[in-house]
mmCIF file of all heavy atoms in Angstrom:
data_model
loop_
_atom_site.group_PDB
_atom_site.id
_atom_site.type_symbol
_atom_site.label_atom_id
_atom_site.label_comp_id
_atom_site.label_asym_id
_atom_site.label_seq_id
_atom_site.Cartn_x
_atom_site.Cartn_y
_atom_site.Cartn_z
ATOM 1 N N LEU A 191 134.768 42.378 87.357
ATOM 2 C CA LEU A 191 135.839 41.419 87.657
ATOM 3 C C LEU A 191 136.205 41.467 89.140
ATOM 4 O O LEU A 191 136.337 40.422 89.791
ATOM 5 C CB LEU A 191 137.057 41.728 86.798
ATOM 6 C CG LEU A 191 138.369 41.047 87.198
ATOM 7 C CD1 LEU A 191 138.247 39.533 87.077
ATOM 8 C CD2 LEU A 191 139.526 41.558 86.339
ATOM 9 N N LEU A 192 136.361 42.668 89.700
ATOM 10 C CA LEU A 192 136.732 42.790 91.106
ATOM 11 C C LEU A 192 135.648 42.211 92.004
ATOM 12 O O LEU A 192 135.943 41.525 92.991
ATOM 13 C CB LEU A 192 136.996 44.254 91.458
ATOM 14 C CG LEU A 192 138.301 44.841 90.892
ATOM 15 C CD1 LEU A 192 138.372 46.338 91.144
ATOM 16 C CD2 LEU A 192 139.507 44.147 91.514
ATOM 17 N N ARG A 193 134.384 42.453 91.674
ATOM 18 C CA ARG A 193 133.309 41.878 92.474
ATOM 19 C C ARG A 193 133.340 40.349 92.395
ATOM 20 O O ARG A 193 133.110 39.661 93.394
ATOM 21 C CB ARG A 193 131.951 42.401 92.012
ATOM 22 C CG ARG A 193 131.683 43.847 92.418
ATOM 23 C CD ARG A 193 130.206 44.121 92.586
ATOM 24 N NE ARG A 193 129.669 43.391 93.714
ATOM 25 C CZ ARG A 193 129.629 43.849 94.962
ATOM 26 N NH1 ARG A 193 130.133 45.028 95.242
ATOM 27 N NH2 ARG A 193 129.116 43.123 95.929
ATOM 28 N N GLY A 194 133.630 39.821 91.205
ATOM 29 C CA GLY A 194 133.728 38.373 91.069
ATOM 30 C C GLY A 194 134.875 37.798 91.880
ATOM 31 O O GLY A 194 134.736 36.725 92.496
ATOM 32 N N LEU A 195 136.015 38.478 91.908
ATOM 33 C CA LEU A 195 137.166 38.002 92.680
ATOM 34 C C LEU A 195 136.880 38.042 94.178
ATOM 35 O O LEU A 195 137.290 37.154 94.929
ATOM 36 C CB LEU A 195 138.396 38.853 92.353
ATOM 37 C CG LEU A 195 138.971 38.681 90.945
ATOM 38 C CD1 LEU A 195 140.054 39.725 90.673
ATOM 39 C CD2 LEU A 195 139.540 37.279 90.758
ATOM 40 N N VAL A 196 136.166 39.074 94.612
ATOM 41 C CA VAL A 196 135.774 39.143 96.023
ATOM 42 C C VAL A 196 134.886 37.958 96.375
ATOM 43 O O VAL A 196 135.061 37.307 97.412
ATOM 44 C CB VAL A 196 135.056 40.482 96.314
ATOM 45 C CG1 VAL A 196 134.364 40.441 97.672
ATOM 46 C CG2 VAL A 196 136.053 41.636 96.262
ATOM 47 N N ARG A 197 133.951 37.658 95.489
ATOM 48 C CA ARG A 197 133.018 36.555 95.737
ATOM 49 C C ARG A 197 133.718 35.191 95.683
ATOM 50 O O ARG A 197 133.526 34.338 96.551
ATOM 51 C CB ARG A 197 131.905 36.597 94.686
ATOM 52 C CG ARG A 197 130.859 35.498 94.846
ATOM 53 C CD ARG A 197 129.878 35.500 93.685
ATOM 54 N NE ARG A 197 130.546 35.193 92.411
ATOM 55 C CZ ARG A 197 130.656 36.053 91.406
ATOM 56 N NH1 ARG A 197 130.149 37.267 91.501
ATOM 57 N NH2 ARG A 197 131.274 35.693 90.289
ATOM 58 N N ASP A 198 134.568 34.991 94.665
ATOM 59 C CA ASP A 198 135.130 33.657 94.416
ATOM 60 C C ASP A 198 136.398 33.376 95.221
ATOM 61 O O ASP A 198 136.682 32.220 95.538
ATOM 62 C CB ASP A 198 135.446 33.499 92.924
ATOM 63 C CG ASP A 198 134.205 33.615 92.049
ATOM 64 O OD1 ASP A 198 133.096 33.394 92.574
ATOM 65 O OD2 ASP A 198 134.336 33.944 90.855
ATOM 66 N N ARG A 199 137.157 34.419 95.548
ATOM 67 C CA ARG A 199 138.433 34.210 96.244
ATOM 68 C C ARG A 199 138.426 34.735 97.669
ATOM 69 O O ARG A 199 139.444 34.661 98.355
ATOM 70 C CB ARG A 199 139.572 34.873 95.453
ATOM 71 C CG ARG A 199 139.889 34.165 94.131
ATOM 72 C CD ARG A 199 140.934 34.926 93.328
ATOM 73 N NE ARG A 199 141.350 34.158 92.160
ATOM 74 C CZ ARG A 199 142.548 33.586 92.016
ATOM 75 N NH1 ARG A 199 143.454 33.694 92.981
ATOM 76 N NH2 ARG A 199 142.841 32.913 90.927
ATOM 77 N N GLY A 200 137.326 35.292 98.108
ATOM 78 C CA GLY A 200 137.255 35.786 99.475
ATOM 79 C C GLY A 200 138.099 37.011 99.729
ATOM 80 O O GLY A 200 138.560 37.224 100.854
ATOM 81 N N LEU A 201 138.312 37.826 98.694
ATOM 82 C CA LEU A 201 139.130 39.023 98.840
ATOM 83 C C LEU A 201 138.350 40.132 99.533
ATOM 84 O O LEU A 201 137.124 40.118 99.616
ATOM 85 C CB LEU A 201 139.607 39.523 97.474
ATOM 86 C CG LEU A 201 140.443 38.568 96.622
ATOM 87 C CD1 LEU A 201 140.791 39.239 95.301
ATOM 88 C CD2 LEU A 201 141.705 38.155 97.365
ATOM 89 N N THR A 202 139.090 41.126 100.000
ATOM 90 C CA THR A 202 138.531 42.365 100.534
ATOM 91 C C THR A 202 139.170 43.510 99.772
ATOM 92 O O THR A 202 140.369 43.464 99.480
ATOM 93 C CB THR A 202 138.825 42.493 102.045
ATOM 94 O OG1 THR A 202 138.354 41.323 102.718
ATOM 95 C CG2 THR A 202 138.171 43.728 102.634
ATOM 96 N N VAL A 203 138.393 44.535 99.421
ATOM 97 C CA VAL A 203 138.903 45.606 98.573
ATOM 98 C C VAL A 203 138.603 46.969 99.189
ATOM 99 O O VAL A 203 137.467 47.236 99.613
ATOM 100 C CB VAL A 203 138.291 45.536 97.154
ATOM 101 C CG1 VAL A 203 138.771 46.721 96.298
ATOM 102 C CG2 VAL A 203 138.670 44.222 96.474
ATOM 103 N N LEU A 204 139.629 47.816 99.228
ATOM 104 C CA LEU A 204 139.467 49.238 99.510
ATOM 105 C C LEU A 204 139.486 49.947 98.164
ATOM 106 O O LEU A 204 140.516 49.978 97.485
ATOM 107 C CB LEU A 204 140.590 49.748 100.412
ATOM 108 C CG LEU A 204 140.693 51.268 100.601
ATOM 109 C CD1 LEU A 204 139.418 51.822 101.223
ATOM 110 C CD2 LEU A 204 141.900 51.623 101.458
ATOM 111 N N MET A 205 138.342 50.488 97.747
ATOM 112 C CA MET A 205 138.186 51.117 96.438
ATOM 113 C C MET A 205 138.309 52.632 96.584
ATOM 114 O O MET A 205 137.429 53.288 97.156
ATOM 115 C CB MET A 205 136.828 50.752 95.835
ATOM 116 C CG MET A 205 136.541 51.368 94.489
ATOM 117 S SD MET A 205 137.366 50.501 93.149
ATOM 118 C CE MET A 205 136.413 48.959 93.137
ATOM 119 N N ILE A 206 139.384 53.214 96.072
ATOM 120 C CA ILE A 206 139.597 54.657 96.104
ATOM 121 C C ILE A 206 139.075 55.234 94.795
ATOM 122 O O ILE A 206 139.469 54.796 93.714
ATOM 123 C CB ILE A 206 141.091 54.983 96.277
ATOM 124 C CG1 ILE A 206 141.591 54.462 97.629
ATOM 125 C CG2 ILE A 206 141.341 56.481 96.150
ATOM 126 C CD1 ILE A 206 143.098 54.521 97.790
ATOM 127 N N THR A 207 138.176 56.215 94.876
ATOM 128 C CA THR A 207 137.577 56.742 93.661
ATOM 129 C C THR A 207 137.064 58.159 93.882
ATOM 130 O O THR A 207 136.853 58.598 95.018
ATOM 131 C CB THR A 207 136.419 55.841 93.182
ATOM 132 O OG1 THR A 207 135.897 56.335 91.957
ATOM 133 C CG2 THR A 207 135.302 55.789 94.220
ATOM 134 N N HIS A 208 136.878 58.884 92.786
ATOM 135 C CA HIS A 208 136.194 60.179 92.827
ATOM 136 C C HIS A 208 134.845 60.089 92.132
ATOM 137 O O HIS A 208 134.164 61.094 91.954
ATOM 138 C CB HIS A 208 137.052 61.252 92.137
ATOM 139 C CG HIS A 208 137.236 61.004 90.665
ATOM 140 N ND1 HIS A 208 138.249 60.218 90.168
ATOM 141 C CD2 HIS A 208 136.512 61.407 89.599
ATOM 142 C CE1 HIS A 208 138.141 60.158 88.849
ATOM 143 N NE2 HIS A 208 137.097 60.867 88.481
ATOM 144 N N ASP A 209 134.446 58.886 91.756
ATOM 145 C CA ASP A 209 133.276 58.659 90.909
ATOM 146 C C ASP A 209 132.158 57.995 91.714
ATOM 147 O O ASP A 209 132.275 56.837 92.126
ATOM 148 C CB ASP A 209 133.686 57.781 89.725
ATOM 149 C CG ASP A 209 132.607 57.677 88.663
ATOM 150 O OD1 ASP A 209 131.431 57.908 88.979
ATOM 151 O OD2 ASP A 209 132.949 57.332 87.510
ATOM 152 N N MET A 210 131.065 58.711 91.918
ATOM 153 C CA MET A 210 129.938 58.155 92.658
ATOM 154 C C MET A 210 129.331 56.942 91.948
ATOM 155 O O MET A 210 128.776 56.044 92.587
ATOM 156 C CB MET A 210 128.863 59.214 92.867
ATOM 157 C CG MET A 210 129.118 60.153 94.032
ATOM 158 S SD MET A 210 128.965 59.291 95.620
ATOM 159 C CE MET A 210 129.026 60.696 96.756
ATOM 160 N N ASP A 211 129.427 56.911 90.616
ATOM 161 C CA ASP A 211 128.891 55.761 89.888
ATOM 162 C C ASP A 211 129.662 54.487 90.231
ATOM 163 O O ASP A 211 129.083 53.395 90.277
ATOM 164 C CB ASP A 211 128.944 56.020 88.381
ATOM 165 C CG ASP A 211 127.923 57.052 87.937
ATOM 166 O OD1 ASP A 211 126.899 57.198 88.631
ATOM 167 O OD2 ASP A 211 128.150 57.727 86.919
ATOM 168 N N VAL A 212 130.970 54.598 90.452
ATOM 169 C CA VAL A 212 131.775 53.445 90.869
ATOM 170 C C VAL A 212 131.325 52.966 92.243
ATOM 171 O O VAL A 212 131.186 51.761 92.490
ATOM 172 C CB VAL A 212 133.274 53.803 90.873
ATOM 173 C CG1 VAL A 212 134.102 52.697 91.530
ATOM 174 C CG2 VAL A 212 133.765 54.053 89.452
ATOM 175 N N ILE A 213 131.081 53.913 93.148
ATOM 176 C CA ILE A 213 130.589 53.553 94.478
ATOM 177 C C ILE A 213 129.275 52.793 94.369
ATOM 178 O O ILE A 213 129.075 51.743 94.988
ATOM 179 C CB ILE A 213 130.396 54.825 95.339
ATOM 180 C CG1 ILE A 213 131.748 55.517 95.605
ATOM 181 C CG2 ILE A 213 129.689 54.488 96.648
ATOM 182 C CD1 ILE A 213 132.673 54.769 96.515
ATOM 183 N N ALA A 214 128.358 53.325 93.547
ATOM 184 C CA ALA A 214 127.038 52.707 93.417
ATOM 185 C C ALA A 214 127.114 51.330 92.780
ATOM 186 O O ALA A 214 126.378 50.422 93.160
ATOM 187 C CB ALA A 214 126.132 53.620 92.591
ATOM 188 N N GLU A 215 128.009 51.161 91.817
ATOM 189 C CA GLU A 215 128.065 49.918 91.052
ATOM 190 C C GLU A 215 128.830 48.810 91.750
ATOM 191 O O GLU A 215 128.485 47.633 91.626
ATOM 192 C CB GLU A 215 128.689 50.194 89.684
ATOM 193 C CG GLU A 215 128.714 48.993 88.751
ATOM 194 C CD GLU A 215 129.196 49.343 87.362
ATOM 195 O OE1 GLU A 215 129.265 50.536 87.032
ATOM 196 O OE2 GLU A 215 129.503 48.407 86.591
ATOM 197 N N ALA A 216 129.882 49.163 92.488
ATOM 198 C CA ALA A 216 130.821 48.141 92.946
ATOM 199 C C ALA A 216 130.903 47.953 94.451
ATOM 200 O O ALA A 216 131.349 46.896 94.902
ATOM 201 C CB ALA A 216 132.223 48.447 92.403
ATOM 202 N N CYS A 217 130.499 48.945 95.243
ATOM 203 C CA CYS A 217 130.845 48.925 96.664
ATOM 204 C C CYS A 217 129.682 48.494 97.552
ATOM 205 O O CYS A 217 128.510 48.693 97.233
ATOM 206 C CB CYS A 217 131.343 50.299 97.098
ATOM 207 S SG CYS A 217 132.840 50.822 96.218
ATOM 208 N N ASP A 218 130.039 47.914 98.693
ATOM 209 C CA ASP A 218 129.070 47.527 99.715
ATOM 210 C C ASP A 218 128.869 48.648 100.729
ATOM 211 O O ASP A 218 127.753 48.923 101.164
ATOM 212 C CB ASP A 218 129.544 46.267 100.443
ATOM 213 C CG ASP A 218 129.790 45.118 99.491
ATOM 214 O OD1 ASP A 218 128.839 44.708 98.806
ATOM 215 O OD2 ASP A 218 130.938 44.635 99.411
ATOM 216 N N ARG A 219 129.975 49.272 101.127
ATOM 217 C CA ARG A 219 129.956 50.402 102.058
ATOM 218 C C ARG A 219 130.833 51.507 101.487
ATOM 219 O O ARG A 219 131.667 51.252 100.609
ATOM 220 C CB ARG A 219 130.452 49.981 103.450
ATOM 221 C CG ARG A 219 129.537 48.985 104.161
ATOM 222 C CD ARG A 219 130.122 48.555 105.514
ATOM 223 N NE ARG A 219 130.329 49.690 106.403
ATOM 224 C CZ ARG A 219 129.374 50.241 107.157
ATOM 225 N NH1 ARG A 219 128.140 49.776 107.119
ATOM 226 N NH2 ARG A 219 129.645 51.259 107.942
ATOM 227 N N ALA A 220 130.650 52.723 102.017
ATOM 228 C CA ALA A 220 131.420 53.851 101.503
ATOM 229 C C ALA A 220 131.742 54.826 102.621
ATOM 230 O O ALA A 220 130.972 54.976 103.583
ATOM 231 C CB ALA A 220 130.662 54.566 100.393
ATOM 232 N N THR A 221 132.896 55.488 102.481
ATOM 233 C CA THR A 221 133.298 56.563 103.379
ATOM 234 C C THR A 221 133.619 57.787 102.542
ATOM 235 O O THR A 221 134.381 57.689 101.571
ATOM 236 C CB THR A 221 134.522 56.162 104.222
ATOM 237 O OG1 THR A 221 134.179 55.054 105.057
ATOM 238 C CG2 THR A 221 135.001 57.319 105.091
ATOM 239 N N VAL A 222 133.031 58.911 102.897
ATOM 240 C CA VAL A 222 133.265 60.168 102.192
ATOM 241 C C VAL A 222 134.328 60.957 102.947
ATOM 242 O O VAL A 222 134.219 61.150 104.167
ATOM 243 C CB VAL A 222 131.962 60.991 102.089
ATOM 244 C CG1 VAL A 222 132.211 62.294 101.328
ATOM 245 C CG2 VAL A 222 130.866 60.173 101.408
ATOM 246 N N LEU A 223 135.360 61.403 102.229
ATOM 247 C CA LEU A 223 136.418 62.210 102.829
ATOM 248 C C LEU A 223 136.304 63.649 102.363
ATOM 249 O O LEU A 223 135.958 63.918 101.204
ATOM 250 C CB LEU A 223 137.804 61.683 102.443
ATOM 251 C CG LEU A 223 138.183 60.250 102.783
ATOM 252 C CD1 LEU A 223 139.684 60.035 102.560
ATOM 253 C CD2 LEU A 223 137.802 59.883 104.200
ATOM 254 N N TYR A 224 136.620 64.562 103.268
ATOM 255 C CA TYR A 224 136.727 65.974 102.904
ATOM 256 C C TYR A 224 137.870 66.592 103.694
ATOM 257 O O TYR A 224 137.911 66.470 104.924
ATOM 258 C CB TYR A 224 135.429 66.740 103.189
ATOM 259 C CG TYR A 224 135.503 68.170 102.691
ATOM 260 C CD1 TYR A 224 135.354 68.438 101.333
ATOM 261 C CD2 TYR A 224 135.784 69.226 103.544
ATOM 262 C CE1 TYR A 224 135.460 69.727 100.843
ATOM 263 C CE2 TYR A 224 135.889 70.516 103.070
ATOM 264 C CZ TYR A 224 135.734 70.769 101.719
ATOM 265 O OH TYR A 224 135.857 72.046 101.239
ATOM 266 N N ALA A 225 138.810 67.205 102.991
ATOM 267 C CA ALA A 225 139.967 67.868 103.620
ATOM 268 C C ALA A 225 140.697 66.932 104.574
ATOM 269 O O ALA A 225 141.118 67.329 105.660
ATOM 270 C CB ALA A 225 139.532 69.140 104.345
ATOM 271 N N GLY A 226 140.848 65.666 104.167
ATOM 272 C CA GLY A 226 141.607 64.705 104.967
ATOM 273 C C GLY A 226 140.867 64.127 106.142
ATOM 274 O O GLY A 226 141.476 63.500 107.011
ATOM 275 N N ARG A 227 139.551 64.296 106.177
ATOM 276 C CA ARG A 227 138.768 63.828 107.324
ATOM 277 C C ARG A 227 137.572 62.997 106.840
ATOM 278 O O ARG A 227 136.940 63.341 105.835
ATOM 279 C CB ARG A 227 138.276 65.035 108.136
ATOM 280 C CG ARG A 227 137.453 64.690 109.373
ATOM 281 C CD ARG A 227 136.955 65.947 110.043
ATOM 282 N NE ARG A 227 138.043 66.742 110.565
ATOM 283 C CZ ARG A 227 138.556 66.613 111.784
ATOM 284 N NH1 ARG A 227 138.065 65.704 112.614
ATOM 285 N NH2 ARG A 227 139.535 67.381 112.183
ATOM 286 N N SER A 228 137.253 61.921 107.545
ATOM 287 C CA SER A 228 136.039 61.167 107.256
ATOM 288 C C SER A 228 134.842 61.987 107.721
ATOM 289 O O SER A 228 134.748 62.337 108.900
ATOM 290 C CB SER A 228 136.034 59.828 107.996
ATOM 291 O OG SER A 228 137.168 59.062 107.669
ATOM 292 N N VAL A 229 133.905 62.283 106.793
ATOM 293 C CA VAL A 229 132.745 63.081 107.175
ATOM 294 C C VAL A 229 131.447 62.283 107.108
ATOM 295 O O VAL A 229 130.426 62.711 107.665
ATOM 296 C CB VAL A 229 132.626 64.355 106.307
ATOM 297 C CG1 VAL A 229 133.829 65.259 106.539
ATOM 298 C CG2 VAL A 229 132.460 64.018 104.835
ATOM 299 N N GLU A 230 131.469 61.126 106.432
ATOM 300 C CA GLU A 230 130.267 60.290 106.372
ATOM 301 C C GLU A 230 130.662 58.867 106.022
ATOM 302 O O GLU A 230 131.552 58.650 105.200
ATOM 303 C CB GLU A 230 129.268 60.826 105.340
ATOM 304 C CG GLU A 230 127.953 60.051 105.300
ATOM 305 C CD GLU A 230 126.798 60.843 104.719
ATOM 306 O OE1 GLU A 230 127.024 61.981 104.242
ATOM 307 O OE2 GLU A 230 125.668 60.331 104.750
ATOM 308 N N THR A 231 130.011 57.896 106.627
ATOM 309 C CA THR A 231 130.279 56.499 106.321
ATOM 310 C C THR A 231 129.033 55.662 106.574
ATOM 311 O O THR A 231 128.240 55.972 107.473
ATOM 312 C CB THR A 231 131.461 55.967 107.163
ATOM 313 O OG1 THR A 231 131.858 54.686 106.683
ATOM 314 C CG2 THR A 231 131.104 55.851 108.632
ATOM 315 N N GLY A 232 128.877 54.626 105.759
ATOM 316 C CA GLY A 232 127.728 53.751 105.943
ATOM 317 C C GLY A 232 127.516 52.854 104.753
ATOM 318 O O GLY A 232 128.288 52.884 103.778
ATOM 319 N N PRO A 233 126.474 52.029 104.771
ATOM 320 C CA PRO A 233 126.144 51.215 103.608
ATOM 321 C C PRO A 233 125.899 52.111 102.401
ATOM 322 O O PRO A 233 125.375 53.222 102.526
ATOM 323 C CB PRO A 233 124.859 50.495 104.040
ATOM 324 C CG PRO A 233 124.882 50.537 105.537
ATOM 325 C CD PRO A 233 125.556 51.813 105.897
ATOM 326 N N VAL A 234 126.278 51.624 101.230
ATOM 327 C CA VAL A 234 126.180 52.445 100.026
ATOM 328 C C VAL A 234 124.758 52.955 99.813
ATOM 329 O O VAL A 234 124.561 54.132 99.462
ATOM 330 C CB VAL A 234 126.680 51.663 98.796
ATOM 331 C CG1 VAL A 234 126.232 52.321 97.498
ATOM 332 C CG2 VAL A 234 128.197 51.571 98.824
ATOM 333 N N GLY A 235 123.771 52.107 100.007
ATOM 334 C CA GLY A 235 122.392 52.539 99.806
ATOM 335 C C GLY A 235 122.020 53.726 100.681
ATOM 336 O O GLY A 235 121.379 54.678 100.225
#
Side-chain angles (χ1 to χ4, degrees):
L191 166 63
L192 287 172
R193 286 208 67 89
L195 291 172
V196 167
R197 180 186 64 245
D198 298 338
R199 290 175 173 250
L201 301 179
T202 306
V203 177
L204 170 60
M205 179 79 70
I206 296 170
T207 183
H208 65 273
D209 190 338
M210 278 291 190
D211 288 334
V212 170
I213 295 291
E215 184 174 346
C217 299
D218 303 300
R219 294 177 59 82
T221 297
V222 181
L223 302 191
Y224 185 77
R227 181 183 295 271
S228 303
V229 296
E230 184 158 5
T231 190
V234 164

